[in-house]
Amino acid sequence: MVEYAKLSDPNAEYTMRDLSSETMGITNERGGVRDAEITDIQTTMVDGNYPWILVRVYTDAGVVGTGESYWGGGDTAIIERMKPFLVGENPLDIDRLYEHLIQKMSGEGSISGKAVSAISGIEIALHDVAGKLLDIPAYQLVGGKYRDEVRIYCDLHTEDEANPQACAAEGERVVEELGYDAIKFDLDVPSGHEKDRANRHLRGPEIDHKVEIVEAVTEAVGDRADVAFDCHWSFAGGSAKRLAAAIADYDVWWLEDPVPPENHDVQREVTFSAPTTPIAAGENVYRKHGHRRLLEEQAIDIIAPDLPRVGGMRETRKIADMADTYYVPVAMHNVSSPIGTMASAQVAAAIPNSLAVEYHSYQLDWWEDLVEEDNLISEGRMEIPEEPGLGLTLDLDVVEEHMVEGDTLFDEA
């Protein structure tokens, strides 16, 4: 195991990239529990329908906060790398500590990618710690409440993803039996008409097949639910324009990520070409800086940041505020465990332009078992708890039962 605390930090020796309390001269006593210090940071990865990375921040006040980084490999090692930058710091200085990590990791890629998602997990855990120390819910830390409960949209799947009638039947079932009034299906599914998987071009029969899915689902649920469709950055600009035009007559809530995320100019052109089909994007863009052009150039109709990936709770709030200046609603992408989902919901409760928060685990029967609280999502809504922090308590027995093989369980709170 690498001892990250002993790694050299050459940037700090000759640049301004250090916002630690020592460097900034922050020495005043704050009084009581507000004088807490971070003592440790630990991670555990859970093998859910995604490999969820849970993050814990420990303090000398005996208060522990839990957060979540965007799923997948790499974050655990990066969090270990950053731990020496945080031990001894006051966990209440969330914004400064976030910027401190961004600056310290700038040479290692904190403009985007896994460095930002690792920082996001810590940042969420800091909100949980701060809320517990101050005895207030996390939404209070990001501006206060606009709503008691947040609308949840359910990402749906079937065993036959490409069958329009199977999708329609599952949409009908989830709306009727589970009470959701907002759902989403994938459109980047094989149609059987593909000639080349690499060129991003949609042939006419492929577009016809996607129209069949849109038609079947929207007609099945009618006005009982809003229906969005996800493309996962799959198509060329021209194909995306043709697809948006082909579904223009249907009641589509939004068409998500029709083109790859790197070229904002193409994204803008696709959105401008689809005046009656709302276009959403943002999950694969990082920090407020990455969302700036999407909003300033009105290249999207709906912004969809992923909170445990984009920079955390305060960064998502900043993106939402920027979006609000362009009258753009926020529909948070989310494939998280209950921890990341609740963090997204806490921010969604605190912003005026919240549209909905995604839920991606309706087919995983133990998703809610990861925490001690019950009925997190009911009738397509997530109620915001009034308990301190995120308002959730991990069930460590369930976490341990579903850990990724080879990982170890973090310490109890």
Side-chain angles (χ1 to χ4, degrees), residues 298-317:
Q298 300 178 55
I300 41 84
D301 299 300
I302 296 167
I303 199 79
D306 190 298
L307 189 148
R309 184 182 201 172
V310 77
M313 296 177 70
R314 289 181 61 79
E315 192 73 359
T316 302
R317 169 79 213 215

Side-chain angles (χ1 to χ4, degrees), residues 13 19 31 35 42 48 52 63 116 120 156 178 190 217 239 249 263 284 292 304 313 339 362 370 405:
E13 297 173 8
L19 299 178
D35 281 315
Q42 299 179 18
W52 297 314
V63 174
V116 176
S120 301
L156 306 188
L178 303 184
V217 174
S239 293
D249 291 337
N263 192 322
N284 218 2
R292 180 181 63 84
M313 296 177 70
I339 299 300
Y362 79 110
L370 281 174
E405 184 177 355

Side-chain angles (χ1 to χ4, degrees), residues 207-377:
I207 290 180
D208 291 342
H209 172 256
K210 298 181 190 317
V211 172
E212 289 174 9
I213 294 176
V214 171
E215 180 180 40
V217 174
T218 55
E219 290 187 357
V221 303
D223 61 3
R224 292 172 296 163
D226 292 315
V227 187
F229 295 92
D230 197 347
C231 302
H232 294 107
W233 330 286
S234 297
F235 308 130
S239 293
K241 293 176 185 178
R242 291 165 57 223
L243 175 60
I247 63 174
D249 291 337
Y250 300 97
D251 188 12
V252 172
W253 200 15
W254 70 71
L255 186 66
E256 183 172 333
D257 288 319
V259 294
E262 295 90 349
N263 192 322
H264 286 193
D265 294 335
V266 176
Q267 176 70 58
R268 183 185 63 243
E269 290 178 9
V270 170
T271 299
F272 284 3
S273 76
T276 62
T277 301
I279 303 297
E283 74 171 88
N284 218 2
V285 182
Y286 294 86
R287 303 175 59 204
K288 61 181 183 289
H289 306 79
H291 289 77
R292 180 181 63 84
R293 282 190 63 198
L294 285 174
L295 293 164
E296 286 185 351
E297 298 178 11
Q298 300 178 55
I300 41 84
D301 299 300
I302 296 167
I303 199 79
D306 190 298
L307 189 148
R309 184 182 201 172
V310 77
M313 296 177 70
R314 289 181 61 79
E315 192 73 359
T316 302
R317 169 79 213 215
K318 293 172 184 178
I319 293 166
D321 287 343
M322 190 190 312
D324 199 41
T325 65
Y326 293 93
Y327 316 126
V328 171
V330 179
M332 291 188 206
H333 180 264
N334 172 63
V335 293
S336 300
S337 80
I339 299 300
T341 303
M342 180 58 77
S344 296
Q346 293 268 352
V347 173
I351 60 176
N353 50 336
S354 174
L355 192 59
V357 173
E358 185 174 11
Y359 173 53
H360 213 292
S361 303
Y362 79 110
Q363 295 173 318
L364 189 69
D365 59 7
W366 54 267
W367 181 84
E368 191 175 88
D369 296 341
L370 281 174
V371 296
E372 296 179 3
E373 291 74 18
D374 297 323
N375 300 316
L376 297 184
I377 300 174

Side-chain angles (χ1 to χ4, degrees), residues 5-300:
K6 294 183 179 180
L7 287 183
S8 64
D9 184 21
N11 281 345
E13 297 173 8
Y14 59 88
T15 74
M16 298 292 288
R17 296 173 184 163
D18 192 313
L19 299 178
S20 65
S21 56
E22 180 180 4
T23 301
M24 298 298 292
I26 301 173
T27 60
N28 287 353
E29 291 188 8
R30 309 184 191 198
V33 297
R34 294 192 302 120
D35 281 315
E37 291 186 1
I38 296 170
T39 59
D40 197 10
I41 301 173
Q42 299 179 18
T43 62
T44 294
M45 190 181 297
V46 175
D47 191 11
N49 55 324
Y50 290 84
W52 297 314
I53 303 168
L54 302 180
V55 184
R56 280 201 148 168
V57 171
Y58 298 79
T59 71
D60 63 358
V63 174
V64 175
T66 304
E68 181 172 353
S69 293
Y70 192 80
W71 64 272
D75 297 60
T76 296
I78 296 171
I79 289 169
E80 282 292 319
R81 164 75 171 126
M82 295 187 294
K83 186 190 301 185
F85 307 149
L86 293 172
V87 170
E89 291 284 351
N90 191 310
L92 296 179
D93 293 342
I94 300 173
D95 202 71
R96 177 178 62 82
L97 295 181
Y98 169 80
E99 292 293 341
H100 179 46
L101 294 179
I102 290 290
Q103 291 298 314
K104 294 288 279 187
M105 296 297 290
S106 60
E108 298 173 54
S110 61
I111 190 173
S112 63
K114 301 304 285 184
V116 176
S117 67
I119 293 170
S120 301
I122 294 171
E123 197 263 8
I124 295 168
L126 289 174
H127 277 87
D128 196 32
V129 168
K132 291 173 180 177
L133 286 171
L134 301 175
D135 197 28
I136 56 175
Y139 71 78
Q140 209 73 64
L141 295 166
V142 288
K145 187 188 285 187
Y146 275 89
R147 49 192 68 86
D148 285 332
E149 59 183 20
V150 171
R151 191 182 189 194
I152 301 296
Y153 78 87
C154 193
D155 191 297
L156 306 188
H157 296 273
T158 73
E159 292 184 0
D160 190 358
E161 301 273 17
N163 185 321
Q165 295 310 314
C167 293
E170 181 66 354
E172 171 78 19
R173 184 188 75 82
V174 168
V175 170
E176 281 298 307
E177 296 181 11
L178 303 184
Y180 286 93
D181 64 0
I183 58 177
K184 184 171 78 174
F185 281 92
D186 292 344
L187 274 189
D188 58 324
V189 293
S191 67
H193 302 290
E194 291 81 11
K195 297 296 184 182
D196 190 322
R197 294 177 63 91
N199 62 24
R200 300 195 178 102
H201 177 70
L202 285 174
R203 300 173 60 241
E206 295 175 74
I207 290 180
D208 291 342
H209 172 256
K210 298 181 190 317
V211 172
E212 289 174 9
I213 294 176
V214 171
E215 180 180 40
V217 174
T218 55
E219 290 187 357
V221 303
D223 61 3
R224 292 172 296 163
D226 292 315
V227 187
F229 295 92
D230 197 347
C231 302
H232 294 107
W233 330 286
S234 297
F235 308 130
S239 293
K241 293 176 185 178
R242 291 165 57 223
L243 175 60
I247 63 174
D249 291 337
Y250 300 97
D251 188 12
V252 172
W253 200 15
W254 70 71
L255 186 66
E256 183 172 333
D257 288 319
V259 294
E262 295 90 349
N263 192 322
H264 286 193
D265 294 335
V266 176
Q267 176 70 58
R268 183 185 63 243
E269 290 178 9
V270 170
T271 299
F272 284 3
S273 76
T276 62
T277 301
I279 303 297
E283 74 171 88
N284 218 2
V285 182
Y286 294 86
R287 303 175 59 204
K288 61 181 183 289
H289 306 79
H291 289 77
R292 180 181 63 84
R293 282 190 63 198
L294 285 174
L295 293 164
E296 286 185 351
E297 298 178 11
Q298 300 178 55
I300 41 84

